[in-house]
Amino acid sequence: MAPSTTTVSAPQLVVGLLLALTTVAAVSTAESAPAVNTSCVTGSAGAAVSIGYGGARASAGAGMSLGAGVYRATCPRAEEIVRAAVQRAVAADPRMAASLLRLHFHDCFVNGCDGSVLLDDKPPFFVGEKTAVPNANSLRGFEVIDAIKAELERECPETVSCSDLLAIAARDSVVVSGGPSWEVEVGRKDSRTASLQGANTNLPAPTSGVTTLVQKFRNVGLSAKDMVALSGAHTIGKARCTSFSARLSGVGVSTGGAVGASKDLTFLQSLQQLCSGSAGSALAHLDLATPATFDNQYYINLLSGDGLLPSDQELASPGAGAVPGADDDVSSLVALYAFDASVFFEDFAESMLRMGRLAPGGGSSDGEVRMNCRVVNSST
């Protein structure tokens, strides 16, 4: 069960942060994590995360049922193969952890977790999601997924779906970066279709306000709490200057109150210096303090006014406390996660599981296990 988040208001937590920010940043996750039993899993940083699955198998929607040990009999080394490949990829390119995590997110938010984001365009007969505005020249890591899939096909042909591969690789990317672990539910099938329109309309933009973000998540059956927890994925990775240009011009920017005011101007000036003369192509760390470590520093940054994307910084804005339609106080959750990494880790893992259960609208009856993640089997 997730810990309660309703005892302290955001303003009280922000005031407390002024007194304890240094201590919060230094306290190890292992010291703050509660004792757990054998049903729990641990992150590589030592954070213990207790996950409730609601039974051995969890329904993911009509026609699709997921379980935690589906491949133990049919492909026992599947997760070992994915884990080792992710470790190699991140060792070669630390940014790849965030890229693989983002692939899973962009897959699930468009017609459920069905591997559709991986399909290549075949004009004029098929146009997929890769050229959608949120994805074009932005998503990366496809070659890593290709290499893992090829190895899985050699080990156990036509067994592990590309959509399951994305879910496992996302978990392993978090773990290798120092974040929590969880037992990935698998059993998805790969779609034979994709939706360019869905990718253009369903995925949140880096300029989205809190109300829009909450609605985008509600549209797929996720809560405001899921939105705040999953936004914590921005504790790793980079973004191009074009993604946060609104921060530089002051459009839609909130400093998050008195805490943010002291550092915000200096932070924005450093971004302006980075982006000037780059035609928007320069990259900035989403979390300047601990850019390659999956931790709760992202939320501490928001309270300091140092969120990179406008959509990130808006989570700590004064107006985020009571968003219409939100079932949780967004700004209070930001402050809670800034104070307690173990709570963030547990909520993030649970939200990843819920996102992973987003099923294609028609279930899995029309799905397949692709042999090549870029094309449907009939085209190989």
Side-chain angles (χ1 to χ4, degrees), residues 185-266:
E185 297 171 339
V186 294
R188 301 169 187 83
K189 296 297 184 183
D190 300 323
S191 69
R192 296 186 178 93
T193 61
S195 176
L196 178 67
Q197 180 181 2
N200 279 325
T201 58
N202 295 1
L203 291 164
T207 54
S208 297
V210 180
T211 300
T212 300
L213 291 171
V214 169
Q215 188 58 53
K216 292 278 189 182
F217 276 72
R218 286 175 63 88
N219 288 346
V220 297
L222 298 175
S223 68
K225 182 177 180 180
D226 291 322
M227 182 271 290
V228 179
L230 292 174
S231 293
H234 287 174
T235 188
I236 56 175
K238 297 181 179 182
R240 295 190 186 280
C241 292
T242 50
S243 299
F244 54 87
S245 58
R247 287 284 275 149
L248 305 185
S249 62
V251 177
V253 176
S254 171
T255 61
V259 178
S262 62
K263 290 179 62 180
D264 192 56
L265 181 59
T266 301

Side-chain angles (χ1 to χ4, degrees), residues 67-144:
V70 173
Y71 295 128
R72 288 173 187 162
T74 59
C75 192
R77 293 187 59 246
E79 293 203 27
E80 176 188 340
I81 289 170
V82 177
R83 180 173 59 250
V86 169
Q87 289 173 342
R88 291 193 301 269
V90 175
D93 176 8
R95 185 185 169 202
M96 189 55 66
S99 298
L100 295 175
L101 178 56
R102 189 163 178 249
L103 275 178
H104 181 47
F105 178 91
H106 280 230
D107 181 38
C108 292
F109 258 63
V110 182
N111 294 336
C113 309
D114 60 359
S116 59
V117 73
L118 301 174
L119 289 171
D120 281 344
D121 288 359
K122 297 290 183 182
F125 306 105
F126 177 82
V127 178
E129 298 164 18
K130 290 183 176 180
T131 54
V133 173
N135 297 338
N137 302 314
S138 176
L139 286 185
R140 59 196 298 271
F142 296 109
E143 294 80 6
V144 173

Side-chain angles (χ1 to χ4, degrees), residues 7 15 34-35 41 66 83 117-118 154 165 167 194 208 210 270 272 323 334 344 353 358 380:
T7 57
V15 171
V41 290
L66 302 181
R83 180 173 59 250
V117 73
L118 301 174
R154 289 192 293 270
L165 167 53
S208 297
V210 180
S270 70
Q272 287 174 331
V323 177
V334 168
F344 163 51
L353 283 168
L358 298 179
T380 57

